[in-house]
Amino acid sequence: MKFWPLIKILPVRTHFKFVRLSKYFSTLSVVAIAGALYVTLFPFTPPCGGLTCGIDFKGGSVIELTTAPMPADPGRIRAALGSMHLGDVQVQGFGGPSQVMVRFQTPAGADASHTADAVKARIAQVTNPVKFTRADVVGPKVSGELLTSGVLALGGAILLMLLYIWFRFELQFGLGAVAALFHDVILTFGLIAILPIEFNLQEVAAILTIIGYSMNDTVVVFDRFRENLRKYKRMPVDEVIDMSINEMLTRTIITSLTAVIALVALAVFGGPSLHGLSIIMLFGIAIGTYSSIYIAAPVILLWGVKRGEEEAEPILPPGAKRPARS
């Protein structure tokens, strides 16, 4: 059975007036950004503020074990570790009924490796059979360096995107793209804080992926916008923006739908370790499409477009040669 004809239910060309509603959605975005910053930064508890830091950023250990062929009892393991004064101890199943992941913080002044060995010995006393399949220890110094590297990676990605758009288009296009990226990143941090999702290097990778996806969507709209500026020299800029977005809307929906299908499968079948990453990326696809329409394009309209420069490079028919400049 062929399902491709179902795509034809999407209109080839839409005629939505996006710019007319931009001031309302922009106001909503400003309020959402303020709220996201608040839940992300307050209460201010280093190193991650309002976020729930993972082992990568606050230091500690992760131990994975299996009790195959017997099913595991996470409650019994949690109770056994409760008397060891490890602080925040997380015991959860993953993968199968015999697999367990244990996360815990190393007590202040204690050696991380010795603490991990003591935890293994304690688990072995209450669980039989048991086999430890993974043991990662992250010290406070290393976790601080990882957090700094993660923040620098996010900032560097946004800066490089600005330079690319500035080189590819013009400065006002770059400012619109960067405004959209800041919007997406801040709202994503707000989502991580509200749910809450444990914030670690995996989530940093998800945010970097969102930056790339959002920028790709924005560049496609900008490219069509620039083409239409050259074609329709007397048309008002806001109408050119609406036309450009409408021309690319069906393409954006189809592209986003394919990514959503893959991420839903990842969220359902990927297990607890990938659940947070898939949720963040699903949110990022939605918010990235929104910001390309209601953040990046309106910023260009507010900043202004140099129509004269666009008119200097008219589109030529196929096969025609551009005349030499005097």
Side-chain angles (χ1 to χ4, degrees):
M1 182 179 295
K2 295 182 179 180
F3 291 95
W4 175 249
L6 295 177
I7 297 298
K8 294 182 179 179
I9 63 175
L10 295 175
V12 177
R13 184 76 171 271
T14 56
H15 302 279
F16 298 115
K17 301 296 183 181
F18 293 104
V19 175
R20 182 183 302 174
L21 299 174
S22 61
K23 61 181 179 181
Y24 303 107
F25 283 103
S26 298
T27 302
L28 178 64
S29 293
V30 170
V31 174
I33 288 173
L37 286 173
Y38 178 80
V39 298
T40 301
L41 299 177
F42 299 98
F44 185 75
T45 53
C48 295
L51 300 176
T52 304
C53 271
I55 298 299
D56 292 335
F57 294 148
K58 67 181 180 183
S61 301
V62 178
I63 295 176
E64 293 180 2
L65 60 95
T66 177
T67 59
M70 303 295 294
D73 187 353
R76 187 176 182 183
I77 296 175
R78 189 180 298 108
L81 298 180
S83 60
M84 297 185 65
H85 306 290
L86 298 174
D88 183 22
V89 179
Q90 302 174 19
V91 181
Q92 63 185 50
F94 75 101
S98 62
Q99 294 177 291
V100 174
M101 177 185 297
V102 181
R103 298 170 181 261
F104 57 91
Q105 277 188 275
T106 304
D111 183 80
S113 298
H114 292 166
T115 302
D117 291 338
V119 168
K120 288 181 181 180
R122 182 61 176 165
I123 293 174
Q125 291 177 1
V126 299
T127 305
N128 189 29
V130 61
K131 179 181 179 181
F132 298 100
T133 58
R134 173 193 170 197
D136 291 338
V137 178
V138 180
K141 182 178 180 180
V142 174
S143 62
E145 292 175 352
L146 290 175
L147 180 59
T148 301
S149 299
V151 172
L152 290 177
L154 294 176
I158 293 176
L159 177 60
L160 290 174
M161 293 296 180
L162 170 63
L163 296 177
Y164 168 74
I165 296 296
W166 190 355
F167 174 78
R168 180 71 173 80
F169 299 97
E170 295 177 12
L171 177 59
Q172 60 266 36
F173 286 82
L175 294 175
V178 168
L181 291 182
F182 272 111
H183 171 273
D184 298 345
V185 170
I186 292 173
L187 291 189
T188 302
F189 274 113
L191 177 75
I192 295 173
I194 290 173
L195 285 182
I197 297 173
E198 188 176 271
F199 183 61
N200 52 35
L201 287 177
Q202 202 172 62
E203 276 57 50
V204 172
I207 296 174
L208 289 172
T209 304
I210 290 172
I211 290 175
Y213 184 93
S214 177
M215 181 56 65
N216 175 73
D217 202 33
T218 302
V219 166
V220 170
V221 174
F222 281 179
D223 206 40
R224 182 57 58 90
F225 176 49
R226 186 172 62 173
E227 290 178 5
N228 287 334
L229 279 175
R230 295 172 176 174
K231 288 181 181 179
Y232 307 98
K233 301 175 183 179
R234 299 183 182 276
M235 183 180 293
V237 176
D238 57 344
E239 294 183 16
V240 178
I241 291 176
D242 280 339
M243 177 188 296
S244 304
I245 296 174
N246 278 294
E247 288 177 352
M248 304 309 301
L249 188 60
T250 300
R251 173 260 178 204
T252 299
I253 292 174
I254 295 174
T255 304
S256 299
L257 185 59
T258 58
V260 166
I261 292 173
L263 289 172
V264 168
L266 185 66
V268 174
F269 302 108
S273 59
L274 296 177
H275 184 73
L277 180 142
S278 56
I279 294 298
I280 291 172
M281 292 186 65
L282 281 170
F283 176 79
I285 289 175
I287 206 67
T289 302
Y290 165 85
S291 65
S292 297
I293 297 173
Y294 284 114
I295 301 298
V299 166
I300 296 176
L301 183 61
L302 291 174
W303 190 268
V305 178
K306 299 178 181 179
R307 298 294 291 267
E309 292 185 7
E310 296 297 339
E311 294 175 8
E313 298 290 342
I315 293 179
L316 300 178
K321 295 184 178 180
R322 191 176 300 279
R325 296 185 179 182
S326 57

